[in-house]
Amino acid sequence: MANHESTRPRGRADGFTLIELVIVIVVVSVAALVFSKMFIEAIRSYEWVDVEKGELQEARYAQERMTREFRRVRDNVSINAASATTFTFVDRDAATISISWSGVKGADLVYTKNGTARVLASGVDSLAFAYWKTNGTAATPVLSPSATDIWRITAYLRLAKGSHTVETVGAAYVRSL
Amino acid sequence: MKQPGFTLIEVVLIIVIAGVAVLPLSMLFANASIRSGDARNSTVAAQLAQAKMEEIAADKNSPLRGFAYLIAANYPAENPVPAFANYSRSVSIAPDSTYDGVTFRTVSVTVSCPNIAPVTVSTWFTTY
């Protein structure tokens, strides 16, 4: 009676076989794996660029600020201390300014105005102030307030955070000295 | 009888095209992180040029040196710049010009670093 309608049992629709389904799942998951790797890489690269950018900005700001401060020295008897990591002086407004780093890797670069401290940059790996005379040779570091032969000041700053390192340099020819 | 569906050739073509399309996308991200170093290099190059120019200005105003000291022989090229391994710096001084009785000298400082265009800073120094 019904056995010549179809070779297939009644009610069974066309569909995917198990094999086909497994293949699709495998292909889709492989594709997802490749794309997710790419996305993770993209996010990681964005994070890296972001940290790098922030650090460069911090170093630039600190460097620029130091150079500007150097130019504000009142006169050639206003430098109280000048060493490789500390520079203390009296500025044109008679304020006592100090820029210093403790020498401990990772410590802050500190700017002090009349005793109030502010952080210029964090994570300092190296700081080196150098002082030069009118004839271009190294000037004597100042240990106590006295007439100085400093004519030009250079600053080298290196910040390090994790795998990020930024080095900057600045120089100031101080007109008031 | 032939079954409807993709032939092997078609499938291979699709895979190749998809692969070619994905490759530049991934390269885009890689390039972005490599290029991020350029901003840093340009910043440092500009700072090195400015620092040298400040040194030349200090020499020009120095009672021991003055305008006559600004000659090429006193500013040899630095390759590399001390403490900055990948950077080289040179100073070029053009012949003097006179304007309205004032002699002036054009001084240029050029800093080069791989991957970025050289940075040049120029200024005039007068006998004043």
Side-chain angles (χ1 to χ4, degrees), chain A residues 52 71 134-135 151 165 173, chain B residues 40 47 54 58 61-62 65:
Chain A
E52 180 90 357
R71 294 187 206 278
T134 45
N135 67 359
W151 183 250
T165 307
Y173 150 50
Chain B
R40 189 233 302 251
Q47 286 181 337
E54 197 71 12
N61 292 290
S62 161
R65 293 188 157 170

Side-chain angles (χ1 to χ4, degrees), chain A residues 10 26 33 45 51 62 64 76 90 92 96 103 124 137 157 160 162:
Chain A
R10 210 188 156 84
V26 167
L33 199 77
S45 120
V51 174
E64 196 98 342
N76 80 330
V90 177
R92 285 180 223 155
T96 303
V124 176
T137 58
L157 173 69

Side-chain angles (χ1 to χ4, degrees), chain A:
Chain A
M1 182 175 151
N3 51 349
H4 49 81
E5 267 184 354
S6 161
T7 50
R8 231 180 240 173
R10 210 188 156 84
R12 195 162 164 192
D14 286 342
F16 300 112
T17 66
L18 182 63
I19 305 277
E20 284 168 342
L21 249 152
V22 167
I23 290 172
V24 167
I25 290 168
V26 167
V27 167
V28 167
S29 53
V30 165
L33 199 77
V34 169
F35 275 96
S36 68
K37 275 237 166 77
M38 219 174 83
F39 270 105
I40 290 165
E41 202 54 47
I43 290 164
R44 215 173 272 162
S45 120
Y46 173 80
E47 276 172 352
W48 195 89
V49 170
D50 200 45
V51 174
E52 180 90 357
K53 209 172 65 182
E55 206 185 347
L56 179 63
Q57 201 152 329
E58 192 174 356
R60 255 182 99 164
Y61 165 73
Q63 190 68 59
E64 196 98 342
R65 185 65 194 267
M66 285 194 291
T67 311
R68 273 159 203 255
E69 290 297 333
F70 292 154
R71 294 187 206 278
R72 287 184 54 80
V73 174
R74 192 170 54 187
D75 50 42
N76 80 330
V77 288
S78 292
I79 297 176
N80 298 335
S83 70
T85 54
T86 299
F87 188 69
T88 307
F89 65 97
V90 177
D91 79 359
R92 285 180 223 155
D93 302 321
T96 303
I97 309 287
S98 171
I99 300 165
S100 68
W101 175 58
S102 66
V104 178
K105 281 189 192 296
D108 296 337
L109 175 66
V110 183
Y111 164 87
T112 311
K113 182 174 184 174
N114 290 332
T116 310
R118 255 190 72 214
V119 172
L120 280 191
S122 59
V124 176
D125 190 58
S126 174
L127 174 75
F129 295 141
Y131 309 98
W132 311 90
K133 290 198 276 197
T134 45
N135 67 359
T137 58
T140 335
V142 178
L143 302 172
S144 57
S146 59
T148 179
D149 55 4
I150 293 173
W151 183 250
R152 180 169 59 90
I153 304 165
T154 56
Y156 168 86
L157 173 69
R158 186 168 70 225
L159 298 187
K161 277 161 199 170
S163 59
H164 299 266
T165 307
V166 173
E167 294 165 298
T168 59
V169 68
Y173 150 50
V174 188
R175 268 83 175 162
S176 57
L177 288 175

Side-chain angles (χ1 to χ4, degrees), chain B residues 60-91:
Chain B
K60 195 257 157 182
N61 292 290
S62 161
L64 291 177
R65 293 188 157 170
F67 185 78
Y69 188 83
L70 307 189
I71 52 166
N74 288 325
Y75 302 100
E78 297 156 285
N79 190 11
V81 180
F84 288 86
N86 291 316
Y87 300 84
S88 63
R89 181 164 65 183
S90 63
V91 177

Side-chain angles (χ1 to χ4, degrees), chain B residues 16-33:
Chain B
V16 167
I17 289 169
V20 166
V22 166
L23 204 71
L25 276 175
S26 61
M27 296 289 274
L28 203 74
F29 295 122
N31 208 24
S33 51

Side-chain angles (χ1 to χ4, degrees), chain B:
Chain B
M1 191 200 135
K2 212 175 161 180
Q3 290 224 342
F6 296 115
T7 65
L8 182 63
I9 308 264
E10 286 168 340
V11 171
V12 168
L13 261 172
I14 288 165
I15 292 169
V16 167
I17 289 169
V20 166
V22 166
L23 204 71
L25 276 175
S26 61
M27 296 289 274
L28 203 74
F29 295 122
N31 208 24
S33 51
I34 292 165
R35 285 278 156 193
S36 74
D38 290 6
R40 189 233 302 251
N41 292 353
S42 306
T43 302
V44 174
Q47 286 181 337
L48 286 169
Q50 281 176 345
K52 192 69 184 179
M53 203 50 110
E54 197 71 12
E55 182 188 333
I56 297 167
D59 287 344
K60 195 257 157 182
N61 292 290
S62 161
L64 291 177
R65 293 188 157 170
F67 185 78
Y69 188 83
L70 307 189
I71 52 166
N74 288 325
Y75 302 100
E78 297 156 285
N79 190 11
V81 180
F84 288 86
N86 291 316
Y87 300 84
S88 63
R89 181 164 65 183
S90 63
V91 177
S92 75
I93 295 169
D96 289 358
S97 307
T98 306
Y99 179 78
D100 207 13
V102 176
T103 301
F104 63 89
R105 199 167 279 181
T106 309
V107 176
S108 306
V109 179
T110 302
V111 177
S112 310
C113 171
N115 306 324
I116 61 157
V119 174
T120 301
V121 174
S122 295
T123 195
W124 288 343
F125 286 104
T126 67
T127 47
Y128 271 5

